[in-house]
Amino acid sequence: MSDPHTTYVRVEKGDPSEEELAALTVVLLARAAALADAAATAPVPLRAVARWRRLERAPGFAGPRTWRRAA
């Protein structure tokens, strides 16, 4: 189990009250729950297709006559 004294939110500047920290925690938890629900209900694509070319997978040299196909 996790330590009950683990810090998940750190205040960088200012001195918020207990109520302000509680309100921020509620907003963050509600947003996380909404994102989890949206991800659970979103359709999963069968295959994601990249619309760009991955140059590291391109062959270095295609053949001696490839310059003719370029025109």
Side-chain angles (χ1 to χ4, degrees):
M1 296 202 103
S2 65
D3 183 19
H5 300 290
T6 302
T7 302
Y8 293 107
V9 177
R10 180 176 63 175
V11 178
E12 291 290 327
K13 188 175 182 180
D15 188 24
S17 65
E18 295 285 328
E19 293 83 16
E20 290 172 333
L21 286 176
L24 176 63
T25 303
V26 168
V27 169
L28 291 175
L29 289 174
R31 181 162 170 84
L35 290 175
D37 289 343
T41 59
V44 178
L46 295 177
R47 185 176 135 214
V49 178
R51 302 285 182 213
W52 43 270
R53 296 180 62 201
R54 294 186 65 168
L55 296 178
E56 67 271 10
R57 291 188 180 179
F61 183 70
R65 294 182 182 92
T66 56
W67 62 274
R68 292 184 184 177
R69 284 188 288 202

Coordinates of all heavy atoms in Angstrom, one line a residue:
M1 N 0.8 -1.2 0.0 CA 0.0 0.0 0.0 C 0.9 1.2 0.0 O 2.0 1.2 0.4 CB -0.9 0.0 1.2 CG -1.9 -1.1 1.3 SD -3.3 -0.7 2.3 CE -4.5 -0.2 1.1
S2 N 0.3 2.3 -0.4 CA 1.1 3.6 -0.4 C 1.1 4.2 1.0 O 0.3 4.0 1.8 CB 0.4 4.5 -1.4 OG -0.9 4.9 -1.0
D3 N 2.1 5.0 1.2 CA 2.3 5.7 2.4 C 1.3 6.9 2.5 O 1.1 7.6 1.6 CB 3.7 6.3 2.4 CG 4.1 7.0 3.7 OD1 3.4 6.8 4.7 OD2 5.0 7.8 3.7
P4 N 0.6 7.0 3.6 CA -0.5 8.0 3.7 C 0.1 9.4 3.7 O -0.6 10.4 3.5 CB -1.2 7.7 5.0 CG -0.2 6.9 5.8 CD 0.6 6.1 4.8
H5 N 1.4 9.6 3.9 CA 2.0 10.9 4.0 C 2.7 11.2 2.7 O 3.6 12.1 2.7 CB 3.0 10.9 5.2 CG 2.4 10.7 6.5 ND1 1.5 11.6 7.1 CD2 2.4 9.7 7.3 CE1 1.1 11.1 8.2 NE2 1.6 9.9 8.4
T6 N 2.4 10.5 1.6 CA 3.0 10.8 0.3 C 2.5 12.1 -0.2 O 1.3 12.3 -0.2 CB 2.7 9.7 -0.7 OG1 3.2 8.5 -0.1 CG2 3.4 9.9 -2.0
T7 N 3.4 12.9 -0.7 CA 2.9 14.2 -1.3 C 2.7 14.1 -2.8 O 3.6 13.7 -3.5 CB 4.0 15.3 -1.1 OG1 4.3 15.4 0.3 CG2 3.6 16.6 -1.6
Y8 N 1.5 14.4 -3.2 CA 1.1 14.3 -4.6 C 1.0 15.7 -5.3 O 1.2 15.8 -6.5 CB -0.2 13.6 -4.8 CG -0.1 12.1 -4.4 CD1 -0.7 11.7 -3.3 CD2 0.5 11.2 -5.2 CE1 -0.6 10.4 -2.9 CE2 0.6 9.9 -4.9 CZ 0.0 9.5 -3.7 OH 0.1 8.1 -3.4
V9 N 0.8 16.7 -4.5 CA 0.7 18.1 -5.0 C 1.6 18.9 -4.1 O 1.6 18.8 -2.9 CB -0.8 18.6 -4.9 CG1 -0.9 20.0 -5.3 CG2 -1.7 17.7 -5.7
R10 N 2.3 19.8 -4.8 CA 3.2 20.6 -4.1 C 2.9 22.1 -4.5 O 2.8 22.4 -5.7 CB 4.7 20.3 -4.4 CG 5.7 21.2 -3.7 CD 7.1 20.8 -4.0 NE 7.4 20.9 -5.4 CZ 8.5 20.8 -6.0 NH1 9.6 20.3 -5.2 NH2 8.7 20.9 -7.2
V11 N 2.8 23.0 -3.5 CA 2.6 24.4 -3.7 C 3.9 25.1 -3.9 O 4.8 25.0 -3.1 CB 1.8 25.0 -2.6 CG1 1.6 26.5 -2.8 CG2 0.5 24.3 -2.4
E12 N 4.1 25.6 -5.1 CA 5.4 26.3 -5.4 C 5.4 27.7 -4.9 O 6.5 28.2 -4.5 CB 5.6 26.3 -7.0 CG 5.8 25.0 -7.6 CD 7.2 24.4 -7.2 OE1 8.1 25.2 -7.1 OE2 7.3 23.2 -7.1
K13 N 4.3 28.4 -4.9 CA 4.3 29.8 -4.5 C 3.0 30.1 -3.8 O 1.9 29.7 -4.3 CB 4.5 30.7 -5.7 CG 4.7 32.1 -5.4 CD 5.0 32.9 -6.7 CE 5.3 34.4 -6.4 NZ 5.6 35.1 -7.6
G14 N 3.0 30.8 -2.8 CA 1.8 31.2 -2.1 C 1.6 30.3 -0.9 O 2.4 29.4 -0.5
D15 N 0.5 30.6 -0.2 CA 0.1 29.8 1.0 C -1.4 29.5 1.0 O -2.2 30.3 1.6 CB 0.5 30.7 2.3 CG 0.3 29.9 3.5 OD1 0.4 28.6 3.5 OD2 0.1 30.5 4.6
P16 N -1.8 28.5 0.2 CA -3.2 28.2 0.1 C -3.8 27.6 1.4 O -3.1 27.0 2.2 CB -3.3 27.1 -1.0 CG -2.0 26.5 -0.9 CD -1.0 27.5 -0.5
S17 N -5.1 27.9 1.6 CA -5.7 27.3 2.8 C -6.1 25.9 2.6 O -6.0 25.3 1.5 CB -7.0 28.1 3.1 OG -7.9 28.0 2.0
E18 N -6.6 25.2 3.6 CA -7.0 23.8 3.5 C -8.2 23.7 2.5 O -8.2 22.7 1.7 CB -7.5 23.3 4.9 CG -6.3 23.2 5.9 CD -5.4 22.0 5.6 OE1 -5.9 21.0 5.1 OE2 -4.2 22.1 5.9
E19 N -9.1 24.7 2.5 CA -10.2 24.6 1.6 C -9.8 24.8 0.1 O -10.3 24.1 -0.8 CB -11.2 25.7 1.9 CG -11.9 25.5 3.3 CD -11.1 26.0 4.4 OE1 -10.2 26.8 4.2 OE2 -11.4 25.6 5.6
E20 N -8.8 25.7 -0.1 CA -8.3 25.8 -1.5 C -7.6 24.6 -2.0 O -7.8 24.2 -3.1 CB -7.4 27.0 -1.5 CG -8.1 28.4 -1.3 CD -7.1 29.5 -1.2 OE1 -6.0 29.3 -0.7 OE2 -7.5 30.7 -1.5
L21 N -6.8 23.9 -1.1 CA -6.2 22.7 -1.5 C -7.2 21.6 -1.8 O -7.1 20.8 -2.7 CB -5.2 22.2 -0.5 CG -3.9 23.0 -0.4 CD1 -3.0 22.5 0.7 CD2 -3.1 22.9 -1.7
A22 N -8.3 21.6 -1.0 CA -9.3 20.6 -1.2 C -10.0 20.8 -2.5 O -10.3 19.9 -3.3 CB -10.3 20.6 0.0
A23 N -10.3 22.1 -2.8 CA -11.0 22.4 -4.1 C -10.1 22.0 -5.3 O -10.6 21.5 -6.3 CB -11.3 23.9 -4.1
L24 N -8.8 22.3 -5.2 CA -7.9 21.9 -6.3 C -7.9 20.4 -6.4 O -7.9 19.9 -7.6 CB -6.5 22.5 -6.0 CG -5.4 22.1 -7.0 CD1 -5.7 22.7 -8.3 CD2 -4.1 22.6 -6.5
T25 N -7.8 19.7 -5.3 CA -7.8 18.2 -5.4 C -9.1 17.7 -6.1 O -9.0 16.8 -6.9 CB -7.7 17.7 -4.0 OG1 -6.5 18.2 -3.4 CG2 -7.6 16.2 -4.0
V26 N -10.2 18.3 -5.8 CA -11.5 17.8 -6.4 C -11.5 18.1 -7.9 O -11.9 17.2 -8.7 CB -12.7 18.5 -5.7 CG1 -13.9 18.3 -6.5 CG2 -12.9 18.0 -4.3
V27 N -11.0 19.2 -8.3 CA -10.9 19.5 -9.7 C -10.0 18.6 -10.4 O -10.3 18.1 -11.5 CB -10.5 21.0 -9.9 CG1 -10.2 21.3 -11.4 CG2 -11.6 21.9 -9.4
L28 N -8.8 18.3 -9.9 CA -7.9 17.4 -10.5 C -8.4 16.0 -10.6 O -8.2 15.3 -11.6 CB -6.5 17.5 -9.8 CG -5.7 18.8 -9.9 CD1 -4.5 18.7 -9.0 CD2 -5.4 19.1 -11.3
L29 N -9.0 15.5 -9.5 CA -9.6 14.2 -9.6 C -10.8 14.1 -10.5 O -10.9 13.0 -11.2 CB -10.0 13.8 -8.2 CG -8.9 13.5 -7.2 CD1 -9.5 13.2 -5.8 CD2 -8.1 12.3 -7.6
A30 N -11.6 15.1 -10.6 CA -12.7 15.1 -11.6 C -12.2 15.1 -13.0 O -12.7 14.4 -13.9 CB -13.6 16.3 -11.4
R31 N -11.1 15.8 -13.3 CA -10.5 15.9 -14.6 C -9.9 14.5 -15.0 O -10.1 14.0 -16.1 CB -9.5 17.0 -14.7 CG -8.9 17.1 -16.1 CD -8.2 18.4 -16.2 NE -7.4 18.5 -17.4 CZ -7.9 18.7 -18.7 NH1 -9.1 19.0 -18.8 NH2 -7.1 18.7 -19.7
A32 N -9.2 13.9 -14.0 CA -8.6 12.6 -14.3 C -9.7 11.5 -14.5 O -9.6 10.7 -15.4 CB -7.8 12.2 -13.1
A33 N -10.8 11.6 -13.8 CA -11.9 10.7 -14.0 C -12.6 10.9 -15.4 O -12.9 9.9 -16.0 CB -12.9 10.8 -12.9
A34 N -12.7 12.1 -15.8 CA -13.3 12.4 -17.1 C -12.4 11.9 -18.2 O -12.9 11.3 -19.2 CB -13.6 13.9 -17.2
L35 N -11.1 12.1 -18.1 CA -10.2 11.6 -19.1 C -10.2 10.1 -19.2 O -10.1 9.5 -20.2 CB -8.8 12.1 -18.8 CG -8.6 13.6 -19.1 CD1 -7.2 14.0 -18.7 CD2 -8.8 13.9 -20.5
A36 N -10.3 9.4 -18.0 CA -10.3 7.9 -18.0 C -11.6 7.4 -18.6 O -11.6 6.4 -19.3 CB -10.2 7.5 -16.5
D37 N -12.8 8.1 -18.3 CA -14.0 7.7 -18.9 C -14.0 7.9 -20.4 O -14.5 7.0 -21.2 CB -15.2 8.5 -18.3 CG -15.5 8.1 -16.9 OD1 -15.0 7.0 -16.5 OD2 -16.1 8.8 -16.2
A38 N -13.4 9.0 -20.9 CA -13.4 9.3 -22.3 C -12.5 8.2 -23.0 O -12.8 7.8 -24.1 CB -12.8 10.7 -22.6
A39 N -11.4 7.8 -22.4 CA -10.5 6.9 -23.0 C -11.1 5.5 -23.0 O -10.9 4.7 -23.9 CB -9.2 6.8 -22.2
A40 N -12.0 5.2 -22.0 CA -12.6 3.9 -22.0 C -13.7 3.7 -23.0 O -14.0 2.7 -23.5 CB -13.2 3.6 -20.6
T41 N -14.4 4.8 -23.3 CA -15.5 4.8 -24.3 C -15.1 5.1 -25.7 O -15.9 4.9 -26.6 CB -16.6 5.8 -23.9 OG1 -16.1 7.1 -23.9 CG2 -17.2 5.4 -22.5
A42 N -13.9 5.6 -25.9 CA -13.4 5.9 -27.3 C -13.2 4.6 -28.1 O -12.6 3.6 -27.5 CB -12.1 6.7 -27.2
P43 N -13.6 4.6 -29.3 CA -13.3 3.4 -30.1 C -11.8 3.2 -30.4 O -11.1 4.2 -30.6 CB -14.1 3.7 -31.4 CG -14.2 5.2 -31.5 CD -14.3 5.6 -30.1
V44 N -11.4 2.0 -30.4 CA -10.0 1.7 -30.6 C -9.8 1.4 -32.1 O -10.5 0.6 -32.7 CB -9.6 0.5 -29.8 CG1 -8.1 0.1 -30.1 CG2 -9.8 0.7 -28.3
P45 N -9.0 2.2 -32.8 CA -8.8 1.9 -34.2 C -8.1 0.6 -34.4 O -7.3 0.1 -33.6 CB -7.9 3.1 -34.7 CG -7.2 3.5 -33.4 CD -8.1 3.3 -32.3
L46 N -8.5 -0.1 -35.5 CA -7.9 -1.4 -35.8 C -6.4 -1.3 -36.1 O -5.6 -2.1 -35.8 CB -8.7 -2.0 -37.0 CG -10.1 -2.4 -36.7 CD1 -10.8 -3.0 -37.9 CD2 -10.2 -3.4 -35.5
R47 N -6.1 -0.2 -36.9 CA -4.7 0.0 -37.2 C -4.5 1.5 -37.4 O -5.1 2.2 -38.2 CB -4.4 -0.7 -38.6 CG -3.0 -0.6 -39.0 CD -2.8 -1.4 -40.2 NE -1.9 -0.6 -41.1 CZ -2.0 -0.6 -42.4 NH1 -2.9 -1.3 -43.0 NH2 -1.2 0.2 -43.1
A48 N -3.5 2.0 -36.6 CA -3.2 3.4 -36.7 C -2.2 3.5 -37.9 O -1.2 2.8 -38.0 CB -2.5 3.9 -35.4
V49 N -2.5 4.4 -38.8 CA -1.6 4.6 -40.0 C -0.9 5.9 -39.8 O -1.5 7.0 -39.6 CB -2.5 4.6 -41.3 CG1 -1.6 4.9 -42.5 CG2 -3.3 3.4 -41.4
A50 N 0.4 5.8 -40.0 CA 1.3 7.0 -39.9 C 1.1 7.7 -41.3 O 1.2 7.1 -42.3 CB 2.7 6.7 -39.6
R51 N 0.9 9.0 -41.2 CA 0.8 9.8 -42.4 C 2.1 10.4 -42.9 O 2.2 11.3 -43.7 CB -0.2 10.9 -42.2 CG -1.6 10.4 -41.9 CD -2.3 9.8 -43.1 NE -3.6 9.4 -42.7 CZ -4.2 8.4 -43.2 NH1 -3.6 7.7 -44.1 NH2 -5.4 8.0 -42.8
W52 N 3.2 10.0 -42.3 CA 4.5 10.5 -42.6 C 5.4 9.3 -42.8 O 5.2 8.2 -42.4 CB 5.0 11.5 -41.5 CG 4.8 10.9 -40.2 CD1 3.7 11.2 -39.4 CD2 5.6 10.1 -39.4 NE1 3.8 10.5 -38.2 CE2 5.0 9.8 -38.2 CE3 6.9 9.5 -39.6 CZ2 5.5 9.0 -37.2 CZ3 7.4 8.7 -38.6 CH2 6.7 8.5 -37.4
R53 N 6.5 9.6 -43.5 CA 7.5 8.5 -43.8 C 8.6 8.4 -42.7 O 9.1 9.5 -42.2 CB 8.2 8.8 -45.1 CG 7.2 8.7 -46.2 CD 7.9 8.9 -47.5 NE 8.9 7.9 -47.8 CZ 9.9 8.0 -48.6 NH1 10.1 9.1 -49.3 NH2 10.8 7.1 -48.8
R54 N 8.9 7.2 -42.3 CA 9.9 7.1 -41.3 C 11.2 6.8 -42.0 O 11.4 5.7 -42.6 CB 9.6 5.9 -40.4 CG 8.4 6.2 -39.5 CD 8.1 5.1 -38.5 NE 9.2 5.1 -37.6 CZ 9.2 4.4 -36.5 NH1 8.1 3.8 -36.1 NH2 10.2 4.4 -35.6
L55 N 12.1 7.8 -42.0 CA 13.3 7.7 -42.8 C 14.2 6.6 -42.3 O 15.0 6.0 -43.1 CB 14.0 9.0 -42.8 CG 13.2 10.2 -43.5 CD1 14.0 11.5 -43.4 CD2 12.9 9.8 -44.9
E56 N 14.2 6.2 -41.1 CA 15.1 5.2 -40.6 C 14.7 3.8 -41.1 O 15.5 2.9 -41.1 CB 15.2 5.2 -39.1 CG 13.9 4.7 -38.4 CD 12.9 5.9 -38.1 OE1 13.1 7.0 -38.5 OE2 12.0 5.6 -37.3
R57 N 13.5 3.7 -41.6 CA 13.1 2.4 -42.2 C 13.2 2.3 -43.7 O 13.0 1.3 -44.3 CB 11.6 2.1 -41.8 CG 11.4 1.8 -40.3 CD 10.1 1.4 -40.0 NE 9.9 1.1 -38.6 CZ 8.8 0.8 -38.0 NH1 7.7 0.6 -38.7 NH2 8.8 0.6 -36.7
A58 N 13.5 3.4 -44.3 CA 13.7 3.4 -45.8 C 15.0 2.8 -46.1 O 16.0 2.9 -45.4 CB 13.7 4.9 -46.3
P59 N 15.0 2.0 -47.2 CA 16.3 1.3 -47.6 C 17.3 2.4 -48.0 O 17.0 3.4 -48.6 CB 15.9 0.4 -48.7 CG 14.7 1.0 -49.2 CD 14.0 1.7 -48.1
G60 N 18.6 2.1 -47.7 CA 19.6 3.1 -48.1 C 19.8 3.2 -49.6 O 20.0 4.2 -50.1
F61 N 19.7 2.1 -50.3 CA 19.9 2.1 -51.7 C 18.9 1.1 -52.4 O 18.8 -0.1 -52.0 CB 21.3 1.6 -52.0 CG 21.7 1.6 -53.5 CD1 21.9 2.8 -54.1 CD2 21.8 0.4 -54.2 CE1 22.2 2.9 -55.5 CE2 22.2 0.5 -55.5 CZ 22.3 1.7 -56.2
A62 N 18.1 1.6 -53.3 CA 17.0 0.8 -53.8 C 17.4 0.1 -55.1 O 16.8 -0.9 -55.4 CB 15.8 1.7 -54.2
G63 N 18.4 0.5 -55.8 CA 18.8 -0.2 -57.0 C 19.5 0.7 -58.0 O 19.5 2.0 -57.8
P64 N 20.2 0.2 -59.0 CA 21.0 1.0 -59.9 C 20.1 1.8 -60.8 O 20.6 2.8 -61.4 CB 21.8 0.0 -60.7 CG 21.1 -1.3 -60.6 CD 20.4 -1.2 -59.3
R65 N 18.8 1.5 -61.0 CA 18.0 2.2 -62.0 C 16.9 3.0 -61.3 O 16.0 3.5 -62.0 CB 17.4 1.2 -62.9 CG 18.4 0.5 -63.8 CD 17.8 -0.4 -64.8 NE 18.8 -1.1 -65.6 CZ 19.4 -2.3 -65.2 NH1 19.0 -2.9 -64.1 NH2 20.3 -2.8 -66.0
T66 N 17.0 3.3 -60.1 CA 16.0 4.1 -59.4 C 16.0 5.5 -59.8 O 14.9 6.2 -59.7 CB 16.2 4.0 -57.9 OG1 17.6 4.5 -57.6 CG2 16.0 2.7 -57.3
W67 N 17.0 6.1 -60.4 CA 17.1 7.4 -60.9 C 16.1 7.6 -62.0 O 15.5 8.7 -62.2 CB 18.5 7.9 -61.3 CG 19.1 7.1 -62.4 CD1 19.7 5.9 -62.3 CD2 19.0 7.4 -63.8 NE1 20.1 5.5 -63.5 CE2 19.7 6.4 -64.4 CE3 18.4 8.4 -64.5 CZ2 19.8 6.3 -65.8 CZ3 18.6 8.4 -65.9 CH2 19.2 7.4 -66.5
R68 N 15.8 6.6 -62.8 CA 14.9 6.6 -63.9 C 13.4 6.8 -63.4 O 12.6 7.4 -64.0 CB 15.0 5.4 -64.8 CG 16.3 5.3 -65.5 CD 16.3 4.1 -66.4 NE 17.6 4.0 -67.1 CZ 17.9 3.1 -67.9 NH1 17.1 2.1 -68.1 NH2 19.1 3.0 -68.4
R69 N 13.1 6.2 -62.3 CA 11.7 6.2 -61.7 C 11.5 7.6 -61.1 O 10.3 8.0 -60.9 CB 11.5 5.2 -60.6 CG 11.3 3.8 -61.3 CD 11.0 2.8 -60.2 NE 12.2 2.6 -59.4 CZ 12.3 1.5 -58.6 NH1 11.4 0.6 -58.5 NH2 13.4 1.3 -57.9
A70 N 12.5 8.3 -60.8 CA 12.3 9.6 -60.1 C 11.7 10.7 -61.0 O 11.1 11.6 -60.6 CB 13.6 10.1 -59.5
A71 N 11.9 10.5 -62.3 CA 11.5 11.5 -63.2 C 10.0 11.4 -63.6 O 9.3 10.6 -63.3 CB 12.3 11.4 -64.5

